[in-house]
Amino acid sequence: MTYKNILVCGAGGFIGSHLVKRLKTEGHWVRGVDVKHPEFSKSPADDFVIADLSRQIECAKVFDRSFDAVYQLAADMGGAGYIFTGDNDANVMQNSVAINLNVLEAAQNCGTHRIFYSSSACVYPEGNQLDENNPVTSEASVYPANPDSEYGWEKLFSERLYMAYNRNNGMKNHIARYHNIFGPEGTWCGGREKVPAALCRKIAEAANGGSIEIWGDGKQTRSFLYVDACVEGSLRLMDSDFEGPVNIGSEEMVSINQLAGLIMDIAGKNLTVVHIPGPLGVRGRNSDNRLIREKLGWEPDYRLADGIEKTYRWIFDQINAR
Ligand code: NAD
């Protein structure tokens, strides 16, 4: 294997910190960059730079050499409680667009040609995801565009930006659309957590026989992908000639009520579910893996129950360590 020098942007975040660990086990030289260190364990990166990539000068300093590969995962990000309330729209768009503009320009200036960009299933039109049993997320269905959040619009714009640099400036950027990634060392409290972590926390904290609250009627559907499979897919895409955009997600779709039931089984608890109003996002969403199967001859196959079991145990330990 040829060892590479690699930059991971957003290395203090959930997926970025897992990605750095994986790259280090493969022997690569890794620089991580983020506005913060990872929250739950020390980064094994060879070099970890604290920098705000939305500031052009700080970003340019991080690109002080040509990298064999850059993984750009830095974004202003959160679950439904952060993305869908509308309260954070201006920050989400301003920060993330600025990061992507700066990263592309700095990469080009130092002779770096290959950037992995983490887009999102949130780019898909809301109108194709109204039926919880038959959501449409084939890659080509993204146009005509109508994402249901400003976060989704920003991701779509930035996809186009990375592709424009490919067309006009000879870059080899690769784009993945992640679908609901979860796992240990992800945000599990504080308002930016996503549904698997939020439900694990609520169920771990509830006394057996008690109750938990779920936003909406719980019949909305999603698929969830364990972080190790997400990292594997990202590396495979980056090592391929296929530039995407391509879904990286699971096709194991469940309703939120079913997910809650699965976590209760793992926890060994019987709880009543109370449905309350809250920010929801689209009615149904599942990953469509036809294109990744065709282009990479591979798709994520990590069982939801196995990933949830590991995540529940980790969140349970976090709560008990408080
Ligand atoms: P995360 O919030 O844990 O990680 C993002 C990191 O970016 C954070 O550590 C944050 O501090 C950093 N960041 C934000 N602004 C920055 C700035 N100005 N300069 C430097 N660093 C900055 O999120 P994550 O779940 O690890 O997601 C990683 C990427 O994948 C994001 O781009 C996200 O939009 C995308 N994505 C994630 C999911 C998911 O389910 N987790 C789904 C779709 C897409």
Side-chain angles (χ1 to χ4, degrees), residues 104-146:
L104 274 162
E105 206 51 24
Q108 186 163 265
N109 288 343
C110 72
T112 296
H113 303 294
R114 215 174 170 89
I115 305 177
F116 171 93
Y117 175 58
S118 54
S119 182
S120 165
C122 289
V123 295
Y124 290 112
E126 186 172 15
N128 289 347
Q129 302 170 85
L130 300 176
D131 176 355
E132 64 261 24
N133 295 315
N134 295 295
V136 177
T137 59
S138 56
E139 285 78 354
S141 71
V142 78
Y143 297 109
N146 188 24

Short mmCIF file of all heavy atoms in Angstrom, two decimals, residues 104-146:
data_model
loop_
_atom_site.label_atom_id
_atom_site.label_comp_id
_atom_site.label_asym_id
_atom_site.label_seq_id
_atom_site.Cartn_x
_atom_site.Cartn_y
_atom_site.Cartn_z
N LEU A 104 -11.80 24.91 -1.43
CA LEU A 104 -11.51 24.69 -2.84
C LEU A 104 -10.40 25.60 -3.34
O LEU A 104 -9.47 25.15 -4.04
CB LEU A 104 -12.78 24.91 -3.66
CG LEU A 104 -13.67 23.69 -3.78
CD1 LEU A 104 -15.08 24.07 -4.20
CD2 LEU A 104 -13.07 22.67 -4.75
N GLU A 105 -10.48 26.86 -2.98
CA GLU A 105 -9.50 27.82 -3.47
C GLU A 105 -8.11 27.52 -2.89
O GLU A 105 -7.10 27.51 -3.61
CB GLU A 105 -9.95 29.24 -3.09
CG GLU A 105 -9.44 30.34 -3.97
CD GLU A 105 -9.66 30.12 -5.47
OE1 GLU A 105 -10.57 29.38 -5.87
OE2 GLU A 105 -8.87 30.69 -6.25
N ALA A 106 -8.08 27.23 -1.58
CA ALA A 106 -6.79 26.93 -0.93
C ALA A 106 -6.19 25.65 -1.49
O ALA A 106 -4.98 25.55 -1.71
CB ALA A 106 -6.99 26.82 0.58
N ALA A 107 -7.06 24.64 -1.73
CA ALA A 107 -6.56 23.37 -2.28
C ALA A 107 -5.94 23.60 -3.65
O ALA A 107 -4.82 23.13 -3.94
CB ALA A 107 -7.72 22.37 -2.38
N GLN A 108 -6.65 24.34 -4.46
CA GLN A 108 -6.14 24.59 -5.81
C GLN A 108 -4.82 25.35 -5.77
O GLN A 108 -3.88 25.02 -6.51
CB GLN A 108 -7.17 25.39 -6.59
CG GLN A 108 -6.77 25.55 -8.02
CD GLN A 108 -7.97 25.96 -8.84
OE1 GLN A 108 -8.64 25.14 -9.44
NE2 GLN A 108 -8.23 27.25 -8.84
N ASN A 109 -4.72 26.33 -4.89
CA ASN A 109 -3.50 27.13 -4.80
C ASN A 109 -2.28 26.32 -4.38
O ASN A 109 -1.15 26.70 -4.68
CB ASN A 109 -3.69 28.30 -3.82
CG ASN A 109 -4.62 29.35 -4.41
OD1 ASN A 109 -4.84 29.37 -5.61
ND2 ASN A 109 -5.18 30.19 -3.55
N CYS A 110 -2.49 25.21 -3.67
CA CYS A 110 -1.31 24.42 -3.24
C CYS A 110 -1.20 23.13 -4.04
O CYS A 110 -0.48 22.21 -3.64
CB CYS A 110 -1.36 24.16 -1.75
SG CYS A 110 -2.59 22.99 -1.28
N GLY A 111 -1.92 23.04 -5.16
CA GLY A 111 -1.73 21.88 -6.05
C GLY A 111 -2.41 20.61 -5.57
O GLY A 111 -2.00 19.51 -5.91
N THR A 112 -3.47 20.75 -4.75
CA THR A 112 -4.24 19.59 -4.30
C THR A 112 -5.44 19.43 -5.23
O THR A 112 -6.19 20.39 -5.44
CB THR A 112 -4.71 19.80 -2.85
OG1 THR A 112 -3.57 19.88 -2.01
CG2 THR A 112 -5.62 18.68 -2.37
N HIS A 113 -5.63 18.20 -5.76
CA HIS A 113 -6.65 18.03 -6.80
C HIS A 113 -7.82 17.15 -6.39
O HIS A 113 -8.81 17.08 -7.11
CB HIS A 113 -6.01 17.41 -8.05
CG HIS A 113 -4.88 18.21 -8.58
ND1 HIS A 113 -5.06 19.47 -9.10
CD2 HIS A 113 -3.55 17.95 -8.62
CE1 HIS A 113 -3.88 19.95 -9.47
NE2 HIS A 113 -2.95 19.05 -9.18
N ARG A 114 -7.69 16.46 -5.25
CA ARG A 114 -8.68 15.43 -4.94
C ARG A 114 -9.33 15.73 -3.59
O ARG A 114 -8.71 15.52 -2.54
CB ARG A 114 -7.95 14.09 -4.90
CG ARG A 114 -8.72 12.92 -5.40
CD ARG A 114 -7.83 11.68 -5.44
NE ARG A 114 -8.63 10.50 -5.70
CZ ARG A 114 -8.91 10.04 -6.90
NH1 ARG A 114 -8.46 10.65 -7.97
NH2 ARG A 114 -9.64 8.94 -7.03
N ILE A 115 -10.57 16.18 -3.64
CA ILE A 115 -11.29 16.47 -2.39
C ILE A 115 -12.54 15.60 -2.34
O ILE A 115 -13.29 15.51 -3.32
CB ILE A 115 -11.72 17.96 -2.31
CG1 ILE A 115 -10.50 18.88 -2.47
CG2 ILE A 115 -12.42 18.24 -0.97
CD1 ILE A 115 -10.86 20.37 -2.47
N PHE A 116 -12.76 14.98 -1.18
CA PHE A 116 -14.01 14.28 -0.91
C PHE A 116 -14.94 15.27 -0.24
O PHE A 116 -14.58 15.89 0.76
CB PHE A 116 -13.76 13.07 0.01
CG PHE A 116 -15.02 12.42 0.50
CD1 PHE A 116 -15.56 11.34 -0.18
CD2 PHE A 116 -15.66 12.88 1.65
CE1 PHE A 116 -16.72 10.73 0.27
CE2 PHE A 116 -16.83 12.26 2.10
CZ PHE A 116 -17.36 11.20 1.41
N TYR A 117 -16.16 15.43 -0.77
CA TYR A 117 -17.12 16.35 -0.16
C TYR A 117 -18.32 15.57 0.38
O TYR A 117 -18.94 14.80 -0.35
CB TYR A 117 -17.59 17.39 -1.19
CG TYR A 117 -18.67 18.27 -0.61
CD1 TYR A 117 -18.44 19.01 0.54
CD2 TYR A 117 -19.94 18.33 -1.19
CE1 TYR A 117 -19.44 19.79 1.10
CE2 TYR A 117 -20.93 19.11 -0.63
CZ TYR A 117 -20.67 19.83 0.51
OH TYR A 117 -21.67 20.60 1.09
N SER A 118 -18.63 15.79 1.65
CA SER A 118 -19.76 15.09 2.28
C SER A 118 -21.02 15.91 2.12
O SER A 118 -21.26 16.84 2.87
CB SER A 118 -19.47 14.83 3.76
OG SER A 118 -19.13 16.04 4.41
N SER A 119 -21.82 15.54 1.12
CA SER A 119 -23.14 16.13 0.95
C SER A 119 -24.14 15.30 1.75
O SER A 119 -23.73 14.48 2.61
CB SER A 119 -23.50 16.18 -0.54
OG SER A 119 -24.76 16.80 -0.72
N SER A 120 -25.41 15.50 1.49
CA SER A 120 -26.41 14.90 2.38
C SER A 120 -27.65 14.48 1.61
O SER A 120 -28.01 15.09 0.58
CB SER A 120 -26.80 15.95 3.42
OG SER A 120 -27.98 15.58 4.08
N ALA A 121 -28.37 13.50 2.17
CA ALA A 121 -29.68 13.11 1.64
C ALA A 121 -30.67 14.27 1.72
O ALA A 121 -31.71 14.23 1.05
CB ALA A 121 -30.22 11.92 2.42
N CYS A 122 -30.34 15.30 2.50
CA CYS A 122 -31.24 16.46 2.61
C CYS A 122 -31.33 17.25 1.30
O CYS A 122 -32.11 18.20 1.21
CB CYS A 122 -30.78 17.39 3.74
SG CYS A 122 -31.06 16.68 5.35
N VAL A 123 -30.53 16.91 0.29
CA VAL A 123 -30.65 17.60 -1.00
C VAL A 123 -31.90 17.17 -1.78
O VAL A 123 -32.35 17.88 -2.67
CB VAL A 123 -29.41 17.36 -1.92
CG1 VAL A 123 -28.17 17.98 -1.32
CG2 VAL A 123 -29.20 15.89 -2.23
N TYR A 124 -32.48 16.01 -1.45
CA TYR A 124 -33.56 15.49 -2.29
C TYR A 124 -34.86 16.27 -2.11
O TYR A 124 -35.14 16.75 -1.01
CB TYR A 124 -33.76 13.99 -2.02
CG TYR A 124 -32.62 13.17 -2.54
CD1 TYR A 124 -31.75 12.51 -1.69
CD2 TYR A 124 -32.37 13.12 -3.91
CE1 TYR A 124 -30.67 11.79 -2.17
CE2 TYR A 124 -31.28 12.41 -4.41
CZ TYR A 124 -30.44 11.75 -3.55
OH TYR A 124 -29.36 11.05 -4.03
N PRO A 125 -35.65 16.40 -3.21
CA PRO A 125 -36.86 17.23 -3.15
C PRO A 125 -37.87 16.70 -2.13
O PRO A 125 -38.12 15.49 -2.07
CB PRO A 125 -37.43 17.11 -4.56
CG PRO A 125 -36.34 16.60 -5.42
CD PRO A 125 -35.43 15.82 -4.55
N GLU A 126 -38.43 17.64 -1.41
CA GLU A 126 -39.42 17.30 -0.38
C GLU A 126 -40.59 16.53 -0.99
O GLU A 126 -41.08 15.56 -0.41
CB GLU A 126 -39.91 18.60 0.26
CG GLU A 126 -40.82 18.38 1.43
CD GLU A 126 -41.14 19.68 2.15
OE1 GLU A 126 -40.89 20.77 1.59
OE2 GLU A 126 -41.64 19.60 3.27
N GLY A 127 -41.02 16.96 -2.21
CA GLY A 127 -42.20 16.36 -2.84
C GLY A 127 -42.03 14.88 -3.16
O GLY A 127 -43.01 14.16 -3.34
N ASN A 128 -40.80 14.39 -3.25
CA ASN A 128 -40.57 12.97 -3.54
C ASN A 128 -40.53 12.13 -2.26
O ASN A 128 -40.27 10.93 -2.32
CB ASN A 128 -39.22 12.78 -4.26
CG ASN A 128 -39.25 13.30 -5.68
OD1 ASN A 128 -40.32 13.58 -6.21
ND2 ASN A 128 -38.08 13.44 -6.28
N GLN A 129 -40.73 12.79 -1.12
CA GLN A 129 -40.57 12.06 0.15
C GLN A 129 -41.78 12.27 1.06
O GLN A 129 -41.66 12.36 2.28
CB GLN A 129 -39.29 12.53 0.84
CG GLN A 129 -38.07 12.29 -0.05
CD GLN A 129 -36.81 12.94 0.49
OE1 GLN A 129 -36.11 12.37 1.32
NE2 GLN A 129 -36.54 14.15 0.05
N LEU A 130 -42.97 12.37 0.41
CA LEU A 130 -44.21 12.60 1.17
C LEU A 130 -44.85 11.29 1.61
O LEU A 130 -45.62 11.24 2.55
CB LEU A 130 -45.22 13.40 0.32
CG LEU A 130 -44.72 14.79 -0.14
CD1 LEU A 130 -45.76 15.45 -1.04
CD2 LEU A 130 -44.42 15.67 1.06
N ASP A 131 -44.54 10.20 0.89
CA ASP A 131 -45.10 8.89 1.22
C ASP A 131 -44.06 8.12 2.03
O ASP A 131 -42.99 7.78 1.51
CB ASP A 131 -45.44 8.15 -0.09
CG ASP A 131 -45.94 6.74 0.15
OD1 ASP A 131 -45.93 6.29 1.32
OD2 ASP A 131 -46.31 6.08 -0.84
N GLU A 132 -44.39 7.83 3.27
CA GLU A 132 -43.37 7.21 4.15
C GLU A 132 -42.95 5.81 3.69
O GLU A 132 -41.91 5.32 4.07
CB GLU A 132 -43.85 7.16 5.61
CG GLU A 132 -45.07 6.29 5.89
CD GLU A 132 -46.36 7.12 5.97
OE1 GLU A 132 -46.39 8.22 5.39
OE2 GLU A 132 -47.31 6.66 6.60
N ASN A 133 -43.80 5.19 2.83
CA ASN A 133 -43.45 3.83 2.39
C ASN A 133 -42.68 3.80 1.07
O ASN A 133 -42.05 2.81 0.76
CB ASN A 133 -44.72 2.99 2.25
CG ASN A 133 -45.39 2.81 3.59
OD1 ASN A 133 -44.71 2.51 4.57
ND2 ASN A 133 -46.69 3.02 3.64
N ASN A 134 -42.74 4.91 0.31
CA ASN A 134 -42.10 4.92 -1.01
C ASN A 134 -41.31 6.19 -1.30
O ASN A 134 -41.56 6.87 -2.30
CB ASN A 134 -43.15 4.73 -2.11
CG ASN A 134 -43.81 3.38 -2.03
OD1 ASN A 134 -43.14 2.36 -2.22
ND2 ASN A 134 -45.08 3.36 -1.71
N PRO A 135 -40.37 6.57 -0.45
CA PRO A 135 -39.59 7.78 -0.74
C PRO A 135 -38.68 7.54 -1.94
O PRO A 135 -38.21 6.41 -2.16
CB PRO A 135 -38.78 7.99 0.53
CG PRO A 135 -38.69 6.63 1.16
CD PRO A 135 -39.95 5.90 0.79
N VAL A 136 -38.44 8.60 -2.72
CA VAL A 136 -37.57 8.49 -3.90
C VAL A 136 -36.27 9.22 -3.62
O VAL A 136 -36.28 10.42 -3.34
CB VAL A 136 -38.25 9.11 -5.14
CG1 VAL A 136 -37.33 9.05 -6.35
CG2 VAL A 136 -39.57 8.40 -5.43
N THR A 137 -35.16 8.51 -3.67
CA THR A 137 -33.85 9.16 -3.46
C THR A 137 -32.82 8.65 -4.46
O THR A 137 -31.63 8.56 -4.12
CB THR A 137 -33.32 8.95 -2.01
OG1 THR A 137 -33.19 7.54 -1.78
CG2 THR A 137 -34.21 9.59 -0.97
N SER A 138 -33.26 8.30 -5.67
CA SER A 138 -32.25 7.98 -6.69
C SER A 138 -31.48 9.27 -6.95
O SER A 138 -32.05 10.37 -6.89
CB SER A 138 -32.91 7.47 -7.96
OG SER A 138 -33.83 8.43 -8.42
N GLU A 139 -30.19 9.17 -7.25
CA GLU A 139 -29.33 10.35 -7.34
C GLU A 139 -29.87 11.37 -8.34
O GLU A 139 -29.86 12.57 -8.09
CB GLU A 139 -27.90 9.95 -7.70
CG GLU A 139 -27.12 9.33 -6.54
CD GLU A 139 -27.44 7.88 -6.25
OE1 GLU A 139 -28.38 7.32 -6.88
OE2 GLU A 139 -26.77 7.27 -5.39
N ALA A 140 -30.38 10.87 -9.50
CA ALA A 140 -30.83 11.79 -10.55
C ALA A 140 -32.11 12.53 -10.17
O ALA A 140 -32.42 13.57 -10.75
CB ALA A 140 -31.04 11.01 -11.84
N SER A 141 -32.84 12.02 -9.16
CA SER A 141 -34.12 12.64 -8.80
C SER A 141 -33.93 13.95 -8.04
O SER A 141 -34.91 14.58 -7.66
CB SER A 141 -34.97 11.67 -7.96
OG SER A 141 -34.40 11.53 -6.66
N VAL A 142 -32.70 14.34 -7.81
CA VAL A 142 -32.44 15.57 -7.06
C VAL A 142 -32.93 16.82 -7.80
O VAL A 142 -33.25 17.83 -7.18
CB VAL A 142 -30.93 15.67 -6.73
CG1 VAL A 142 -30.10 16.12 -7.91
CG2 VAL A 142 -30.69 16.55 -5.51
N TYR A 143 -33.03 16.74 -9.14
CA TYR A 143 -33.57 17.85 -9.94
C TYR A 143 -34.89 17.46 -10.58
O TYR A 143 -35.02 16.30 -10.98
CB TYR A 143 -32.57 18.26 -11.03
CG TYR A 143 -31.28 18.78 -10.44
CD1 TYR A 143 -30.11 18.04 -10.51
CD2 TYR A 143 -31.27 20.00 -9.77
CE1 TYR A 143 -28.93 18.52 -9.94
CE2 TYR A 143 -30.10 20.49 -9.21
CZ TYR A 143 -28.94 19.75 -9.29
OH TYR A 143 -27.79 20.22 -8.72
N PRO A 144 -35.90 18.37 -10.71
CA PRO A 144 -35.83 19.76 -10.27
C PRO A 144 -35.77 19.85 -8.74
O PRO A 144 -36.46 19.10 -8.05
CB PRO A 144 -37.14 20.37 -10.80
CG PRO A 144 -38.03 19.20 -11.09
CD PRO A 144 -37.16 18.03 -11.36
N ALA A 145 -34.93 20.78 -8.27
CA ALA A 145 -34.57 20.80 -6.85
C ALA A 145 -35.64 21.46 -5.99
O ALA A 145 -36.23 22.45 -6.38
CB ALA A 145 -33.24 21.54 -6.69
N ASN A 146 -35.82 20.88 -4.81
CA ASN A 146 -36.66 21.52 -3.78
C ASN A 146 -36.39 20.88 -2.42
O ASN A 146 -37.27 20.26 -1.82
CB ASN A 146 -38.15 21.41 -4.13
CG ASN A 146 -38.99 22.24 -3.19
OD1 ASN A 146 -38.50 23.19 -2.59
ND2 ASN A 146 -40.25 21.87 -3.01
#
